[in-house]
């Protein structure tokens, strides 16, 4: 752990905008407002300095699964994403039977309590068989509020989000239950109509799980959930910016219709993220990864991603040509606010955790700091 240092010379992205030739003071694990004159400094001229990334939808990485791995496996996945700039991470599960999921919730909650994870996201089993994607159909079930409550209880206050097909029986009641307990109700893997989606938003849903993916397409006479989710100011839309899940035009449509304050870039990463091609498992289903694209062996559906958020950031800057300040909101500030941790992470402000990422002029990752310690040394003087 660094005791105290000053990072100077970089283009620093702050909530108010970009500070040219800026400086960030690190004191122990936190960002500080002041430092003595003799504090050691690191010159980051020619680089960008941005807040550590916050991923609210992630199933694993480094060859390890958050759904089925041991504690060491989960930590391997977490550390893999740390090295790619994600300093705050929610562990997402996939569909399983209720006994398994409640047991898994208790297991993952211990890692949340230790500070290794920022919470748990349950993606499934309360999703539509019509839009199941890489989820086992025989394990799907309607969102019975009693069973939703069972998962929340098993997570011991660490559940951050539950993805639901809110048009299913019990869906609206489950949204209300989640809202009452301060847990994000996310609409996803859904076959809902436009009107049904509005009903769910009015009941308290606030997130669109990987918008466009695993939901009906936007059509001119049947706008479906996409239109309802994009137009409502209460909804933040998740986007997987890997060049596979979304065409650039779809991402541009979503980003500019929702606005930079309502977009959260996610990875939806599975085991292969940061690890490589091969055969993996996502829950009980077999997945083959070829050239970085994960698909079910049976049926060929896209099965999560191998994305890391540094790649999503760089693509947003160089391919999508989004303003850097808007990208930072999508990878850091917006998800931090949704998760209720913006008081600690998500921006470079005094008093917050010293979580930050160093990028070069071409937006390639060059350094990562988490709580004042370099995870990836920037290699500059």
């Amino acid at each position: 752990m660094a005791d105290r240092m000053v990072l100077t010379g970089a283009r620093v992205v702050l909530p108010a905008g970009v500070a040219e030739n800026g400086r960030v003071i690190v004191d122990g694990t936190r960002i500080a407002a002041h430092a003595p004159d003799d504090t050691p400094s690191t010159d980051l001229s020619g680089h960008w300095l941005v807040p550590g990334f916050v991923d609210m939808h992630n199933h694993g990485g480094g060859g390890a699964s958050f759904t089925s791995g041991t504690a060491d496996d989960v930590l391997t996945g977490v550390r893999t994403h740390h090295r790619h700039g994600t300093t705050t991470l929610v562990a997402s599960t996939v569909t399983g039977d209720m006994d398994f999921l409640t047991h898994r919730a208790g297991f993952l909650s211990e890692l949340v309590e230790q500070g290794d994870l920022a919470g748990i996201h349950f993606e499934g089993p309360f999703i539509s068989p019509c839009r199941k994607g890489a989820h086992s159909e025989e394990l799907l079930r309607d969102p019975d509020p009693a069973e939703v409550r069972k998962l929340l209880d098993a997570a011991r206050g660490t559940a951050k989000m539950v993805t639901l097909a809110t048009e299913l029986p019990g869906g609206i009641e489950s949204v209300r239950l989640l809202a009452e307990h301060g847990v994000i109700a996310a609409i996803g893997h859904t076959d809902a109509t436009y009107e049904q989606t509005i009903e769910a938003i009015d009941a308290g849903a606030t997130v669109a799980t990987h918008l466009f993916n695993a939901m009906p397409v936007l059509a001119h006479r049947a706008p479906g959930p996409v239109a309802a989710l994009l137009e409502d100011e209460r909804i933040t839309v998740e986007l997987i910016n890997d060049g596979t899940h979304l065409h650039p035009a779809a991402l541009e449509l979503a980003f500019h219709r929702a606005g930079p304050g309502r977009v959260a870039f996610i990875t939806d990463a599975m085991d292969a993220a940061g690890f490589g091609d091969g055969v993996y498992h996502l829950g009980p289903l077999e997945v083959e990864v070829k050239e970085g694209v994960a698909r079910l062996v049976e049926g060929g559906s896209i099965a999560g991603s191998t994305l890391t958020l540094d790649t999503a950031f760089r693509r947003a800057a160089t391919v999508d040509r989004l303003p850097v300040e808007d990208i930072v909101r999508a990878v850091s500030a917006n998800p931090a606010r949704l998760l209720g941790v913006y008081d600690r992470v998500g921006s470079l402000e005094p008093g917050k955790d010293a979580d930050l990422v160093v990028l070069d002029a071409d937006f390639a990752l060059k350094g990562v700091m988490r709580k004042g310690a370099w995870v990836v040394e920037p290699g500059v003087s």
Side-chain angles (χ1 to χ4, degrees):
M1 181 186 300
D3 291 326
R4 186 181 288 130
M5 70 178 77
V6 182
L7 307 175
T8 64
R11 304 181 75 185
V12 181
V13 182
L14 302 170
V18 177
E20 302 287 345
N21 193 28
R23 55 187 255 143
V24 173
I25 300 167
V26 177
D27 191 350
T29 64
R30 302 293 183 90
I31 297 172
H34 306 286
D37 292 341
D38 61 351
T39 301
S41 66
T42 299
D43 183 8
L44 296 175
S45 296
H47 292 74
W48 292 88
L49 195 57
V50 302
F53 308 146
V54 180
D55 194 353
M56 56 189 283
H57 186 158
N58 188 314
H59 298 278
S65 167
F66 298 153
T67 297
S68 59
T70 65
D72 285 343
D73 291 335
V74 173
L75 293 176
T76 293
V78 169
R79 289 166 185 154
T80 296
H81 287 282
H82 285 173
R83 291 192 294 272
H84 290 274
T86 297
T87 50
T88 301
L89 180 73
V90 169
S92 300
T93 62
V94 296
T95 294
D97 66 46
M98 287 301 295
D99 287 343
F100 174 79
L101 288 173
T102 54
H103 178 268
R104 196 66 185 172
F107 167 78
L108 290 171
S109 69
E110 296 178 7
L111 296 175
V112 178
E113 290 159 2
Q114 290 174 194
D116 298 304
L117 297 169
I120 305 169
H121 163 218
F122 297 101
E123 187 180 22
F126 311 118
I127 61 177
S128 172
C130 301
R131 305 287 174 177
K132 65 182 184 297
H135 291 255
S136 179
E137 184 167 355
E138 60 266 25
L139 295 174
L140 300 182
R141 55 209 302 131
D142 291 339
D144 179 348
E147 293 199 323
V148 174
R149 179 62 186 268
K150 188 183 295 186
L151 286 183
L152 300 189
D153 289 344
R156 304 199 302 261
T158 66
K160 290 292 187 179
M161 183 163 67
V162 178
T163 292
L164 307 160
T166 54
E167 75 278 8
L168 295 176
I172 297 300
E173 293 81 4
S174 293
V175 169
R176 294 194 181 107
L177 171 71
L178 292 167
E180 288 168 4
H181 284 80
V183 178
I184 297 166
I187 300 171
H189 287 275
T190 176
D191 203 40
T193 65
Y194 175 85
E195 291 77 15
Q196 288 171 326
T197 305
I198 290 174
E199 182 184 10
I201 297 169
D202 287 340
T206 55
V207 165
T209 294
H210 44 52
L211 187 75
F212 295 111
N213 299 117
M215 61 182 63
V217 298
L218 177 65
H220 64 292
R221 281 193 291 270
V226 172
L229 294 164
L230 279 177
E231 72 184 11
D232 199 299
E233 295 296 320
R234 294 170 289 183
I235 292 292
T236 297
V237 298
E238 293 183 346
L239 299 176
I240 307 172
N241 193 20
D242 62 353
T244 298
H245 282 78
L246 296 175
H247 189 283
L251 183 134
E252 182 180 13
L253 169 66
F255 205 100
H256 291 288
R257 178 63 185 89
R262 292 205 293 121
V263 171
F265 282 151
I266 61 162
T267 61
D268 195 16
M270 45 82 72
D271 312 20
F275 200 67
D277 289 357
V279 176
Y280 300 84
H281 283 85
L282 192 58
L285 303 179
E286 193 171 51
V287 176
E288 184 174 16
V289 178
K290 286 185 177 180
E291 297 180 355
V293 178
R295 294 187 180 275
L296 292 181
V297 170
E298 185 175 341
S301 293
I302 294 176
S305 85
T306 62
L307 184 65
T308 53
L309 280 180
D310 60 325
T311 299
F313 192 116
R314 190 176 191 185
R315 181 178 176 86
T318 60
V319 176
D320 305 306
R321 301 291 182 180
L322 297 173
V324 175
E325 303 96 306
D326 292 350
I327 302 169
V328 167
R329 294 176 74 178
V331 298
S332 300
N334 295 343
R337 286 195 180 95
L338 282 167
L339 297 172
V341 295
Y342 188 68
D343 60 324
R344 295 188 290 107
V345 300
S347 66
L348 299 177
E349 296 177 90
K352 292 195 175 185
D353 289 350
D355 292 357
L356 53 87
V357 176
V358 181
L359 304 170
D360 69 14
D362 297 318
F363 302 100
L365 184 143
K366 292 299 179 182
V368 181
M369 177 182 285
R370 185 172 188 266
K371 294 187 176 180
W374 288 114
V375 176
V376 177
E377 292 272 1
V380 296
S381 59

